[in-house]
Amino acid sequence: MEPILVTRDGAIATVALNNPDKLNALNKATWRRLGEVMRELSADDSLRCIVVRGSGDKAFAAGADIAEFATERADAKQAKHYGNLIHETMQAVARCRHRRLR
């Protein structure tokens, strides 16, 4: 299953966090892909708006997926890498030229 779904309707892109069974909790793959997608869309001059949402009808996002913490944040080095990934992704969201948070 793709962690991030992107659809287009003319000049509007919708980015959906795609983990509805876990209330769209973000795991490492989702954080990575979200950053990539936001950087790609920000560079697209044909867009006017980006809507970020969660898949399903229960939640936008529950936050980080704690189920992977034992393997992905097991020591200080891993935790730093994980934190840097989240920071880079959130910077990509914040710097995106065209977005709408819903």
Side-chain angles (χ1 to χ4, degrees):
M1 178 167 52
E2 289 293 319
I4 301 291
L5 301 176
V6 180
T7 56
R8 298 272 308 246
D9 183 8
I12 300 170
T14 299
V15 175
L17 307 176
N18 190 33
N19 191 5
D21 293 340
K22 287 191 167 189
L23 301 177
N24 299 311
L26 288 87
N27 61 23
K28 192 173 180 181
T30 306
W31 283 114
R32 184 178 297 110
R33 185 65 185 135
L34 179 59
E36 293 167 353
V37 164
M38 293 306 291
R39 286 185 287 276
E40 291 166 9
L41 293 176
S42 185
D44 187 338
D45 291 333
S46 69
L47 283 178
R48 295 180 48 99
C49 178
I50 299 171
V51 178
V52 180
R53 67 176 188 81
S55 293
D57 58 2
K58 293 185 179 179
F60 168 68
D65 186 352
I66 62 172
E68 71 177 9
F69 282 10
T71 58
E72 297 296 333
R73 295 174 36 163
D75 58 39
K77 183 177 178 182
Q78 283 184 327
K80 183 175 181 178
H81 183 272
Y82 195 92
N84 286 341
L85 175 62
I86 293 172
H87 177 74
E88 290 168 9
T89 297
M90 294 310 296
Q91 287 297 309
V93 172
R95 291 180 179 146
C96 185
R97 296 184 299 144
H98 26 249
R99 71 194 188 300
R100 176 175 172 221
L101 300 176
R102 173 167 83 169

